[in-house]
Amino acid sequence: MESALNEAVAQIERAKAAGSPIVHSFFDEPTNTATYVVWDPATRKAAIVDSVLDFDAAAGRTKTASADAVIAYVRQNGLTVDWLLETHAHADHLSAAPYLQKALGGQLAIGREIIRVQNVFGKIFNAGTNFERDGSEFDRLFDDGDRFAIGDIEALALHVPGHTPADMAYVIGDAVFTGDTLFMPDYGTARADFPGGDARQLYRSIRRLMQLPDETRLFLCHDYKAAGRDQYVWETTVGAQRVGNVHVHEGVDEDDFVAMRTSRDATLSMPKLILPSVQVNMRGGHLPEPEANGTRYLKIPLDVL
């Protein structure tokens, strides 16, 4: 087992003995997205993972109800936000990180490969020379194995590419925030057909996560209610994924997974908010700069995705 994963396993074991972080979730049904506030009960230091800015695409209007609920929870519990963590540049919702940062503080962080995503989508959206493609819209770019902390709780970043090149999983105490890499066991795995996505990388990233202890809590970015299930659910365990994930349980061959994922992805429509979401999220959640008339615009490129 390689060093970053060894460190993650050791950290999880220490956290089970020292005390787990508190995790509070907010589920946004219009985008099927779970946002998390994870915090240290000893110091009341916190991180916010994968926040949502409400967006009415038909009207071109943003709202902050989802983010305001997060702010209210943080203030009601007397928390100090140290980190605003993005698992990747989302294609299905706009990030509320800048709005939350203005209200609550904290460093905005994502994986270093966001630079690759910025270069690809900067060209697609013709973002111009004013758009820096160096990750500078974020306060911290994580590399695989980078360590950080939330109060007294140890945390570590694991690079899990495949869905996008920049996907990170955050191991915080004994809890892991996987982004879009995995869904609930009865729903399967993320698509890998966006620019820079790779089904083979996705398989290997999932296998990496499945080497964590079986009892490790996994907090997912989305749930879509698999057939036959009436409730939204976004928390599971490594053991449950290893045994029961319908796409990638133990015994599924890499080539078979790649064939399944590639075939399945070819049948999927693009997320309905992909065009506005990526334009905003590649900028760290900031909207494009206003044009000469003072209005901000999102572009719709034709025949490129």
Side-chain angles (χ1 to χ4, degrees), residues 52-89:
V52 174
L53 180 69
D54 305 309
F55 181 62
D56 181 343
R61 294 190 179 277
T62 60
K63 295 182 180 180
T64 60
S66 295
D68 289 336
V70 174
I71 292 170
Y73 176 83
V74 167
R75 289 176 173 165
Q76 286 166 6
N77 286 279
L79 307 180
T80 300
V81 173
D82 284 348
W83 294 98
L84 300 153
L85 302 174
E86 298 289 347
T87 54
H88 63 294

Side-chain angles (χ1 to χ4, degrees), residues 15-62:
K16 287 191 294 186
S20 301
I22 294 172
V23 180
H24 187 83
S25 60
F26 300 81
F27 190 74
D28 179 60
E29 191 168 342
T31 62
N32 297 94
T33 302
T35 294
Y36 301 99
V37 178
V38 50
W39 54 284
D40 174 15
T43 65
R44 307 194 88 78
K45 301 282 188 169
I48 300 170
V49 184
D50 290 339
S51 61
V52 174
L53 180 69
D54 305 309
F55 181 62
D56 181 343
R61 294 190 179 277
T62 60

Side-chain angles (χ1 to χ4, degrees), residues 170-187:
Y170 297 111
V171 186
I172 301 174
D174 63 348
V176 182
F177 300 84
T178 66
D180 286 11
T181 301
L182 282 164
F183 298 139
M184 289 299 293
D186 60 359
Y187 200 87

Side-chain angles (χ1 to χ4, degrees), residues 86-235:
E86 298 289 347
T87 54
H88 63 294
H90 311 278
D92 39 33
H93 70 272
L94 280 63
S95 169
Y99 178 78
L100 292 170
Q101 189 174 44
K102 185 176 181 180
L104 300 171
Q107 295 185 73
L108 173 58
I110 200 169
R112 185 172 298 279
E113 288 298 307
I114 188 63
I115 296 170
R116 181 175 165 192
V117 174
Q118 289 176 329
N119 275 296
V120 169
F121 284 100
K123 293 173 184 175
I124 289 174
F125 291 110
N126 195 28
T129 56
N130 289 332
F131 172 48
E132 299 291 345
R133 297 163 171 82
D134 59 1
S136 59
E137 297 80 3
F138 299 84
D139 301 310
R140 174 80 180 269
L141 300 181
F142 284 120
D143 291 305
D144 186 57
D146 277 355
R147 303 201 65 88
F148 60 108
I150 299 169
D152 294 335
I153 294 177
E154 298 177 277
L156 182 142
L158 291 177
H159 187 210
V160 287
H163 174 61
T164 79
D167 278 65
M168 302 298 289
Y170 297 111
V171 186
I172 301 174
D174 63 348
V176 182
F177 300 84
T178 66
D180 286 11
T181 301
L182 282 164
F183 298 139
M184 289 299 293
D186 60 359
Y187 200 87
T189 58
R191 64 194 301 164
D193 60 334
F194 297 146
D198 186 300
R200 197 167 298 277
Q201 276 192 329
L202 179 63
Y203 178 90
R204 294 173 182 176
S205 293
I206 291 168
R207 284 283 172 246
R208 192 180 192 210
L209 291 174
M210 286 186 176
Q211 293 181 67
L212 297 172
D214 276 357
E215 64 274 16
T216 303
R217 296 181 293 163
L218 300 182
F219 294 91
L220 316 178
C221 189
H222 297 290
D223 186 55
Y224 301 97
K225 286 199 296 192
R229 175 157 55 84
D230 295 328
Q231 301 293 324
Y232 289 110
V233 188
W234 46 86
E235 180 181 351

